[in-house]
Amino acid sequence: MRIKRMLSAVAGTLAIAMFTAGCGVTSSTGSTASSTTSDSSASGTVTVFISGDTNVQDLWDKGIIPAFNKKYPKITVKTQIDLHGEHDQQTVAKLATSTKSGDDPGYQLVDAGWVTGQAAQANLLTKVSSSNISNLADVPSATVKAGLGVGVPYRASSVLLAYDSTKVSKPPKTLKALLKWIVKNPGQFAYNSPASGGSGGAFVSTVLDSYLTTKQQKVLRLEKNAAAEAAWKKGFAKLASLNPYVYQKGVYPNGNTQVLTLLGQGSIEMAPVWSDQFITAQKSGTIPSTVKYTQISDPSFTGSASYLGVPKTASNKKLVYKLLNFVLSAAGQKVVASEVSGYPVISLDKMDKSVAAEFKDANISSLRAGYYSEVASDMNDQWDQLVPGQQ
């Protein structure tokens, strides 16, 4: 996933509580710590709204919140989740309504892919900087800039090329080499349909980008552009030509997890995977240690940071800033790395040596972004029409 869902993603990409339960919030939990030691007497409640999967809620409920409460035991932090972001449009609409009326929306922090999308564009979030979140100064400037002045990056992921090292001694290092490998090793490569997960979406967008100019690639990351999308034609033709050579001559798994399962079972030798999901799967033993990973180039797969946002009319902002500052501390970033195998977004020099060693090859300042959300939706629709079943 998405620490994806790179990055979906990005990609990935790669995504605020409702006023009523009928608006899509599927669960709500709270956590306070029993610790009696604290460096602050601050007290109050902060609610974090999550648009995503349960693993992200677990990151907060089982990781970040308990660690935060050891330092701030008088601040209660709760979570609410819209599972898989099924009600994102309604959520953003209600946030816009509360912003216009000057009301607290019912939550004070947002963990969603649309923080740097619709919410940022509609001016619904609070401007952030190192002046109110001091640890933001430890994040690479390019990553901070991608937050559009309102998003606080707190974890990152990218799509990688995973391979069975017992069968593949020299994995491809470029997209061109990967495409050749797929043809020479029929049935041994799989990617999920792009609409079902960011790892497959990253493979598709990477192939499409290989046929676009730099200008066309850039515009599709900023806005919907019919002329640039028209240049996908050759890329989709290339993807369709791979049907006889991918898993079971054109079977596309439904989601990132199914691809990982095929790798773990030895049913395939190679696939694009999300870094955070892959590392977590290896830690749990569902992916054997003999499955390794690399990154391709010319172009590389996509990746991205995940951003948090503070609603413009949120209450208790001083408490929210304390929470955000903790998340961007070495202790908070260690929790992120441990719980969801997310790339730390602060300098590795500030992290424990073990964490720094694990992520030494992760350069979050140079992650290749995924398409603009509406463009990604167009890509998914066109793939459905032009690739499966075609020759």
Side-chain angles (χ1 to χ4, degrees), residues 49-364:
F49 177 82
I50 300 163
S51 172
D53 293 336
T54 54
N55 67 316
V56 179
Q57 187 177 35
D58 287 344
L59 166 62
W60 285 94
D61 288 340
K62 300 178 182 180
I64 293 174
I65 295 173
F68 175 74
N69 282 152
K70 289 180 180 179
K71 187 173 184 179
Y72 297 100
K74 295 181 181 180
I75 300 178
T76 299
V77 183
K78 301 178 180 180
T79 60
Q80 297 178 346
I81 185 169
D82 177 19
L83 193 61
H84 306 307
E86 293 182 356
H87 306 85
D88 279 350
Q89 295 300 321
Q90 299 98 308
T91 303
V92 175
K94 285 188 175 292
L95 178 59
T97 299
S98 66
T99 302
K100 185 176 181 179
S101 63
D103 297 327
D104 182 286
Y107 44 85
Q108 293 74 47
L109 187 63
V110 182
D111 187 344
W114 45 260
V115 162
T116 54
Q118 293 170 295
Q121 293 171 359
N123 196 27
L124 304 179
L125 303 174
T126 303
K127 293 289 185 180
V128 293
S129 68
S130 57
S131 64
N132 49 23
I133 305 166
S134 60
N135 286 339
L136 199 58
D138 295 328
V139 181
S141 59
T143 307
V144 175
K145 185 177 180 180
L148 305 178
V150 295
V152 178
Y154 84 108
R155 59 187 173 91
S157 59
S158 65
V159 176
L160 305 167
L161 183 65
Y163 64 96
D164 185 343
S165 65
T166 66
K167 300 174 182 177
V168 182
S169 58
K170 294 182 178 180
K173 293 295 185 180
T174 65
L175 176 63
K176 184 177 180 179
L178 171 58
L179 296 175
K180 287 183 177 180
W181 188 95
I182 294 170
V183 173
K184 290 182 179 180
N185 298 271
Q188 295 304 312
F189 178 85
Y191 70 94
N192 57 275
S193 57
S196 69
S199 61
F203 177 74
V204 172
S205 65
T206 300
V207 173
L208 297 179
D209 276 358
S210 69
Y211 291 91
L212 303 184
T213 65
T214 300
K215 183 178 180 180
Q216 288 170 329
Q217 293 181 45
K218 183 176 181 179
V219 72
L220 291 179
R221 281 157 175 78
L222 298 174
E223 63 184 17
K224 184 178 172 68
N225 185 286
E229 288 187 18
W232 282 340
K233 184 176 180 180
K234 290 183 179 179
F236 278 122
K238 181 63 178 180
L239 290 164
S241 74
L242 297 177
N243 280 328
Y245 307 104
V246 299
Y247 179 63
Q248 293 187 353
K249 297 183 178 181
V251 172
Y252 298 93
N254 183 31
N256 307 308
T257 302
Q258 286 192 10
V259 172
L260 287 171
T261 298
L262 291 175
L263 273 170
Q265 294 174 341
S267 299
I268 56 174
E269 296 177 8
M270 193 176 294
V273 297
W274 274 113
S275 57
D276 50 356
Q277 293 181 330
F278 178 81
I279 294 170
T280 299
Q282 282 208 320
K283 287 179 178 179
S284 68
T286 57
I287 296 290
S289 60
T290 51
V291 179
K292 308 293 185 181
Y293 67 83
T294 187
Q295 179 59 279
I296 63 169
S297 60
D298 301 325
S300 65
F301 288 140
T302 55
S304 66
S306 293
Y307 289 82
L308 304 172
V310 183
K312 183 171 287 187
T313 54
S315 59
N316 292 335
K317 285 186 180 180
K318 289 185 178 180
L319 302 185
V320 178
Y321 295 152
K322 290 182 183 296
L323 176 58
L324 287 169
N325 221 35
F326 173 79
V327 171
L328 292 182
S329 68
Q333 290 291 285
K334 185 176 181 179
V335 171
V336 170
S338 175
E339 293 291 328
V340 294
S341 301
Y343 295 169
V345 298
I346 66 173
S347 171
L348 292 180
D349 293 340
K350 297 181 177 295
M351 300 296 298
D352 288 352
K353 290 183 178 180
S354 60
V355 178
E358 182 177 4
F359 295 97
K360 61 182 176 63
D361 295 325
N363 181 5
I364 68 162

